[in-house]
Every structure is written in C-alpha cells, then in structure tokens.
C-alpha cells in the first residue's frame, strides 16, 4: 500500500466506496488522516458503518465542518454533464477536490529513496484505444528484461494498493481520461499517448474536453520523455506543443503506417516492420508480423508505443524484441485462443463498437466473423469498407437480424447463440482462415459484460481441441 503523505491530523472526505475508494480510505488512514466517507448506495453506506468507517451525509453543508479535502472516485462526474452534488458542495465551500491518482503522485516518492542506487520511475499511459495492451506490454518487457516492476491504475491493481517502490523499480500505470482530468498531481517520468477517437463525450463536454483531459498528463505532468502517437491530428498537435524543435528527442513520435524520419527520436511500423530512428539515422528494426500476441496495424501502433517507452528507460532493442515474442496479449483483445487444424481462433470480445471491430477485421486476411449482441446507435454500416476480408459472418444476439441488413453482400448466417456460431464456423472454416469474435456490439443481451462473453467463446473453442 502507498501511504498518503501530508495528511496527518487532517479530516479528509472520500466519495465513493468501490475498489479505489476503499483503497483510498486505507491509504489516507495509514498517513494519519481522519477519514470520513459517503456513498450514494444505502447498502454500501451500511456496510461501511459496520466496518467501522465514519459515514457523514456530505450532501448537507453542516457535515463539512473541518474537512480539508474531498477525494472522489474516478467514475463520479465532477464537471460534465453536471457535478455530483457532493462535489458541487465542495466547490461551493472551497474544499479542494482530488482523486487517488493525485494522491499517488504526491506520495510515491519517500525518504527511503535516498538509500536507492537507482531512482524508481513511473511510466503512465493514456489514450483512447490500446492503452491497456500498451501498458501490459511495457510491464511484460520490463519483467522479461529483469527490471523490478509493478502495473496498476485503470488495469490490475489500484494505484494506492501498489507496494512502495523498490530500488530501480519502474511502475507502469494505465490512466483513463476520468483519472487524468481531476488529479491535482501528475508527474510521470515517461508519459505515453496512444491515440484519440471519440469516447466519453458526455462526461467531458465534447471531443475537445476529452482531449484536454488526456493532454493534462503532459501539460501538467511535465514528463522527462513524452511518447506520442501521431497518427491522428490531436497527437500531432500534442507532439508539436511539447517539442522545442523537430530535433527535440524529449518527444518520441510513434506511428503505424507512416514513416517518421525527420525527428530527433521516432518509432514507427510500416509493412509489418518496426523501426527506430534517432537524429535521422535508423538504429534498430525488426519484424512484427510473426509476433502472434500483437496482430494488426492497431497492435503495431501499441508495439511502437511500448518499444519507445521501454527504450526511454534504457531497455536495449533486442531485449524488447525477445519480449514481444513471449507476449500473449490481453484477454478479449485480439487474443489468439487456439489454432485447430490450421484455423486460428481469436477472441476480441472487447471490440464492442465499430471502431474497435474495424481494427480487428483489418488484422487478418481471411475471416469467419462472429458478430452481434446489443447493437449500438448507428448500427454497423460504417464497417462496410472493412468487410473485404470476411468469408462469412455468423450473427448472434439481439441485433443479429439488424446486422444482416447492414453488411451488404457478405455471406451470413443467423446463428443466434455463441454455441451455434462456433459450431457452424468449425464445420465450415478452412486452413489458413481465422474465426474472429469481434462483436461490434455490447454484450448485455446475453452476457453481463464483454469479459464473460469472451470467456464463453474461449471455453467453447478450447473444448474443440482434440
């Protein structure tokens, strides 16, 4: 656990008692704070009281006496579409509002570090797509290279539940826009921006607000190195804002599909090959096409970002390349589940929208596509340009018939259930083809979440193996 510093004998309020809220309570108490809590859920409040926590109704002004700060969970709106009433009350009273990310960055460094031979470092990853894969890949590379490392934030362990740093350790954090938007302290050593596509727009008041939340990690944080994906205009703008000149190697530009040669430091993937350039010269290159855990151009962008981040903390190129080949990918994200009789079975249950499904469909040459579920507004007509590799679609769930009307001339079958879709794909797939679960839809018609959908797919496929 990270003990929060600078709060001794202060009364700190915590709003929201989920995983991060509970960890925040413990970390504040360890730092000597008197902690009071509030949650909108009656059952949660009752459980907190039974656990010995002091529950105050923070919707009432009279319960704010003596409170010096409010720490809120990331999922609770603090600005758009409107602030939560408790947060609005804090604003009215002038009580500073922060989150666990802000507490982490102000508390991670301790006097113990004076005894370390090598100062610990933090790599923080944000962006719209690929940040979980990029974070996990960075962590995997560091571990394979023998560097002490922890991973947390929006993936795995909450930031305040991480262990205090060891000598030379690198902590890798995935940070969502919800987390970067409010944190009062953001001081990573290396910050990574993967890409930007529209998401959470109601929470951020539009695309500009969403980008601004991501940008705070760089503008507020002042990292020693900034790894910036420049395949979209927002990343190109951010790299330009941070660099003093094209030769400024504090900014490492990364891209998938375009060549980046005229900069102080760049990493890019083209035609399946990753290249690193420094001061106009190529210093490393290797083939990504045989890295089974990172299929497709979108994963090649993730690979470039992870490569750049780990190079920035001193990992040699060949060690990174070796680690790539042992990376299995994250569950439900272009995850190869099995290869049976020459047919590859891939679980991309996380592809719950058109953009994510398009990236998955672009990653493989001959696809038997399992799609459907609870379709989203606009359907899947926007996927039409990406269906050229689809041999046949097997449509499941609530939107199966709607999807059938939107895929043009692609052969399809209404399979209804995952079991039937897999059975039909198994009967018809030929060697060299890929059976891809990329639903382009939410899971809630048949499953509680995309993870359970992916786990069902995986279990059914594994049962096919001899």
């Amino acid at each position: 656990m990270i003990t929060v510093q600078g709060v001794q004998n202060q009364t700190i309020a915590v709003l929201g008692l989920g995983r991060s809220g509970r960890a925040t309570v413990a970390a504040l108490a360890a730092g000597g704070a008197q902690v009071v809590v509030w949650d909108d859920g009656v059952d949660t409040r009752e459980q907190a009281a039974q656990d010995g926590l002091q529950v105050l109704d923070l919707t009432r002004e009279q319960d704010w006496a003596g409170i010096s700060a409010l720490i809120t969970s990331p999922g609770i709106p603090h600005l758009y579409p409107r602030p939560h009433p408790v947060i609005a009350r804090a604003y009215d009273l002038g009580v500073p509002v922060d989150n666990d990310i802000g507490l982490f960055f102000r508390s991670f460094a301790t006097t113990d570090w004076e005894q370390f031979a090598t100062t610990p470092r933090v790599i923080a990853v944000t962006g719209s797509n690929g940040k979980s894969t990029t974070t996990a890949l960075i962590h995997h590379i560091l571990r394979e290279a023998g560097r002490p490392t922890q991973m947390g934030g929006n993936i795995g362990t909450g930031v305040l539940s991480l262990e205090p740093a060891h000598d030379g350790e690198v902590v890798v954090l995935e940070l969502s826009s919800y987390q970067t938007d409010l944190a009062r302290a953001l001081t990573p050593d290396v910050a990574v921006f993967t890409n930007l596509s529209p998401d959470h727009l109601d929470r951020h008041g539009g695309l500009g607000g969403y980008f601004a939340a991501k940008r705070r990690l760089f503008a507020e944080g002042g990292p020693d190195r900034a790894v910036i994906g420049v395949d979209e205009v927002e990343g190109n703008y951010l790299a330009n804002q941070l660099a003093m000149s094209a030769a400024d190697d504090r900014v490492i530009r990364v891209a998938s599909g375009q060549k980046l040669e005229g900069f102080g430091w760049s990493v890019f993937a083209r035609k399946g090959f990753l290249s690193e350039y420094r001061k106009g010269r190529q210093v490393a290159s290797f083939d990504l096409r045989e890295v089974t855990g990172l299929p497709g151009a979108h994963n090649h962008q993730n690979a470039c970002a992870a490569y750049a981040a780990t190079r920035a903390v001193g990992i040699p190129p060949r060690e990174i390349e070796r680690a790539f080949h042992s990376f299995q990918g994250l569950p439900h994200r272009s995850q190869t589940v099995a290869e049976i009789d020459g047919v590859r079975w891939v679980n991309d249950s996380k592809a719950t929208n058109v953009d994510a499904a398009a990236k998955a469909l672009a990653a493989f040459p001959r696809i038997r596509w399992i799609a459907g579920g609870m379709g989203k507004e606009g359907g899947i007509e926007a996927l039409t340009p990406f269906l050229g590799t689809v041999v046949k679609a097997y449509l499941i769930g609530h939107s199966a018939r709607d999807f059938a009307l939107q895929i043009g001339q692609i052969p399809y079958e209404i399979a209804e259930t995952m079991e039937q879709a897999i059975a039909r794909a198994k009967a018809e797939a030929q060697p060299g083809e890929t059976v891809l679960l990329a639903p382009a839809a939410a899971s809630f018609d048949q499953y509680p979440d995309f993870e359970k959908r992916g786990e069902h797919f995986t279990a059914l496929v594994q049962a096919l193996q001899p």
Side-chain angles (χ1 to χ4, degrees), residues 450-465:
F450 75 83
E451 290 97 338
K452 288 293 186 292
R453 177 172 58 192
E455 289 166 5
H456 189 208
F457 173 85
T458 299
L460 292 170
V461 171
Q462 290 175 341
L464 299 175
Q465 299 188 84

Side-chain angles (χ1 to χ4, degrees), residues 43 48-49 87 89 177 190 195-196 200 213 263 272 276 308 314 344 346 352 395 415:
D43 291 345
I87 296 176
R89 178 77 66 188
S177 59
V190 179
N195 50 55
L196 195 85
H200 309 305
F263 301 100
E276 177 189 2
R344 188 176 185 179
V346 176
T352 58
L395 303 175

Side-chain angles (χ1 to χ4, degrees), residues 253-319:
R253 290 169 171 85
V254 303
S256 176
Q258 61 172 310
K259 202 169 186 177
L260 302 173
E261 292 182 298
F263 301 100
W265 200 345
S266 62
V267 181
F268 59 88
R270 285 185 77 231
K271 299 179 180 179
F273 284 84
L274 181 149
S275 297
E276 177 189 2
Y277 274 71
R278 299 194 70 171
K279 297 180 180 178
R281 295 179 57 251
Q282 181 174 298
V283 297
S285 178
F286 55 83
D287 191 348
L288 291 172
R289 292 171 298 179
E290 299 303 317
V291 179
T292 58
L294 295 166
H298 63 301
N299 273 313
H300 291 177
Q301 184 188 59
N302 299 335
C304 289
Y307 177 96
T310 49
R311 289 286 286 130
V313 294
I315 307 300
R318 292 305 163 205
E319 290 192 29

